[in-house]
Amino acid sequence: MEGFGVHTSMWTMRWDREGCEHAVAKACSYGMDFLEIALLDPPLVDALETRKTLEAAEMRSVCSLGLPEEFWASRNPDGAIAFLRLALDKAADIGAEALSGVVYGGIGERSGLPPTKAELDNVARALESSAAYARSLGLLFGIEP
């Protein structure tokens, strides 16, 4: 994605109507080309209202997240796949160009031990399935190292 963007956490950690309107207005006031919308709670997001707000401001978007602990792909690949599908659906409905972030696990996920082969296989399965689903929606799917 070309241009200069900013993560919505600069102005809000909650992507509801108020957070959306505030972040989009602020991003516009700083001349941003796009917003990186934190989809930390996809069911909370009003995709239609977000899309209207972004389109009215002529603001492009991408979405990002970290998986909640109960959906860490290393331990719960099926849960991760379901959560990522919901997030991908929301991103598509918003009109975002991509979903990225810590899509393979949680922010700060650490056991203190190297991952096992089974954990890596779980992550690979969740990412493969999610990438294919993203492609079917016309979305880019990124992995934040």
Side-chain angles (χ1 to χ4, degrees), residues 90-109:
K90 287 289 182 164
D93 291 346
I94 286 169
E97 297 174 32
L99 176 71
S100 189
V102 188
V103 295
Y104 52 86
I107 297 168
E109 177 184 359

Side-chain angles (χ1 to χ4, degrees), residues 74-138:
S74 60
R75 299 190 309 219
N76 182 0
D78 293 329
I81 291 166
F83 187 87
L84 288 167
R85 280 184 175 241
L86 174 60
L88 286 161
D89 286 338
K90 287 289 182 164
D93 291 346
I94 286 169
E97 297 174 32
L99 176 71
S100 189
V102 188
V103 295
Y104 52 86
I107 297 168
E109 177 184 359
R110 292 178 185 84
S111 68
L113 302 170
T116 65
K117 181 178 181 333
E119 289 171 330
L120 292 174
D121 288 347
N122 286 344
V123 170
R125 184 165 67 85
L127 291 177
E128 182 178 35
S129 175
S130 299
Y133 189 66
R135 190 177 315 112
S136 76
L137 297 173

Side-chain angles (χ1 to χ4, degrees), residues 15-59:
W15 199 253
D16 55 11
R17 185 179 194 148
E18 181 181 333
C20 172
E21 290 173 354
H22 180 69
V24 170
K26 286 298 220 178
C28 287
S29 76
Y30 285 101
M32 296 293 147
D33 299 303
F34 67 91
L35 272 172
E36 179 179 344
I37 299 169
L39 283 185
L40 301 175
D41 189 358
L44 172 74
V45 175
D46 182 338
L48 180 59
E49 190 61 37
T50 296
R51 187 179 199 125
K52 284 184 195 177
T53 303
L54 291 167
E55 287 177 352
E58 298 181 3
M59 179 68 59

